[in-house]
Amino acid sequence: MKATLYTVLALLAFAANSLLCRMALVQNYIDAWNFTALRLLSGALCLGFIVLIQAKSIANPANNNDDIELDVDDRGSWRSSISLLVYALCFSIAYVELDTGTGALILFSAVQLTMIGWGIYNKERLSTVQWCAFIIAVIGFVYLMLPSATIPSVIPALLMMLSGVAWGIYSIRGKVCISPLKTTTFNFARSLFALPVLFMIGFSHLSGLSWQGVALACASGALASGIGYSIWYVAMPLLKSSQAAVVQLCVPVIAALAGMLFLKEELSIQFVIASAVILGAVLVFMLAKQPGHSHSTHSADKAAANAPK
């Protein structure tokens, strides 16, 4: 139940992020460089504030802190921070150059290949039912996105692919997370080393900056990214890499529903069919039993946890 709750909350945050990015970048309220910089900065500030409040609460002797780990030494890592930065920046730059369908196909294909590939490498076995469910979910996803897809330019396509791989790596590294909020806070904080470069390049786009773009970037960073990724890091240790990969195919469906609710986008028969196929296949995948329990993934996670930061 805990895994389901946190996974659903994280997927809702991902969908909200997609919607906020679409509103900000497609409407040209802000450029990709300033959007990424504000997204990372607002995420770090929001998480830092929450951690500070939590630390003061823990320090208060009047509070019962039996269930709080006071000395958890989980400060994220540079690898995770760089993965986060690469994902966020490449996504924003590519997003404005690609159609929605094309970008989603490339991004989620890269995520699936990265995370499921990692699972297979660590001998994470899937049953026949799970393989069939995964293939059906991918078919439904392609059916949903393909009509709006066009042949992409090479550079934006490569950037979106790199973004997907980076997100897959960031997600995988969350499997060894001990303190999700603290880890995510430090990951965002480390990513700020790139802030001067982002703002320097973004300086040439200041004329096109609007308050709507700034607000959307901050909402994306503080709420959908900062808090959302913390929740995702709670869910990741409870999921197999393959499960974490497959459930993310639900994000375009949730984002499309949000677009219909908040952006007055039209409901189509194609969306209804594709959504039913994707959600049904993901449900079957998650409920299907895996063939035996492999200790390889657990060992690999331990090795990753002890790896140099």
Side-chain angles (χ1 to χ4, degrees):
M1 182 60 70
K2 181 181 178 181
T4 301
L5 173 63
Y6 284 113
T7 300
V8 170
L9 290 175
L11 295 180
L12 290 173
F14 297 164
N17 222 345
S18 176
L19 199 65
L20 292 168
C21 289
R22 190 191 317 170
M23 293 167 64
L25 297 173
V26 174
Q27 298 295 327
N28 293 319
Y29 288 140
I30 191 172
D31 62 282
W33 298 91
N34 283 308
F35 180 86
T36 303
L38 290 173
R39 180 181 177 185
L40 295 174
L41 178 60
S42 59
L45 291 175
C46 175
L47 291 170
F49 178 75
I50 295 173
V51 168
L52 182 63
I53 295 299
Q54 185 186 59
K56 288 185 177 181
S57 175
I58 293 173
N60 187 350
N63 293 333
N64 183 5
N65 300 317
D66 292 339
D67 297 327
I68 301 177
E69 298 184 59
L70 299 180
D71 298 314
V72 175
D73 187 20
D74 193 353
R75 297 172 178 258
S77 70
W78 277 106
R79 294 177 187 176
S80 297
S81 298
I82 291 173
S83 296
L84 176 64
L85 173 63
V86 170
Y87 154 71
L89 180 58
C90 291
F91 176 83
S92 298
I93 295 174
Y95 197 86
V96 297
E97 300 292 337
L98 297 172
D99 291 335
T100 301
T102 306
L105 284 172
I106 296 172
L107 176 70
F108 285 97
S109 296
V111 172
Q112 300 300 306
L113 288 173
T114 301
M115 298 188 68
I116 292 181
W118 175 256
I120 293 173
Y121 174 77
N122 285 292
K123 298 181 175 59
E124 186 177 305
R125 299 169 60 195
L126 301 181
S127 66
T128 302
V129 173
Q130 286 180 309
W131 276 116
C132 291
F134 170 64
I135 293 170
I136 292 171
V138 170
I139 291 172
F141 171 70
V142 172
Y143 176 68
L144 175 65
M145 294 297 173
L146 196 58
S148 62
T150 58
I151 298 176
S153 302
V154 176
I155 299 300
L158 289 175
L159 287 174
M160 189 62 83
M161 185 181 300
L162 182 59
S163 177
V165 172
W167 175 252
I169 294 172
Y170 186 79
S171 296
I172 291 167
R173 293 189 64 80
K175 287 187 67 62
V176 297
C177 179
I178 301 172
S179 176
L181 179 61
K182 188 175 180 182
T183 300
T184 309
T185 301
F186 276 97
N187 286 338
F188 267 83
R190 285 192 185 91
S191 72
L192 299 184
F193 80 91
L195 220 57
V197 176
L198 295 177
F199 278 130
M200 282 176 59
I201 298 176
F203 184 78
S204 61
H205 300 279
L206 286 181
S207 60
L209 204 63
S210 66
W211 69 265
Q212 294 100 322
V214 172
L216 290 168
C218 290
S220 171
L223 303 177
S225 297
I227 296 176
Y229 295 177
S230 297
I231 295 172
W232 182 234
Y233 262 27
V234 176
M236 274 303 301
L238 306 175
L239 300 172
K240 297 284 188 180
S241 294
S242 56
Q243 292 176 326
V246 171
V247 294
Q248 291 184 73
L249 290 173
C250 298
V251 174
V253 176
I254 301 172
L257 284 171
M260 294 171 195
L261 290 174
F262 300 108
L263 302 181
K264 307 301 181 183
E265 296 177 350
E266 294 183 2
L267 175 67
S268 66
I269 296 297
Q270 179 187 6
F271 172 77
V272 174
I273 295 173
S275 298
V277 170
I278 294 170
L279 296 177
V282 169
L283 181 63
V284 170
F285 184 96
M286 297 299 289
L287 295 178
K289 292 184 178 180
Q290 291 184 303
H293 298 282
S294 171
H295 299 285
S296 299
T297 303
H298 183 63
S299 300
D301 290 344
K302 279 188 173 182
N306 296 324
K309 301 296 185 182

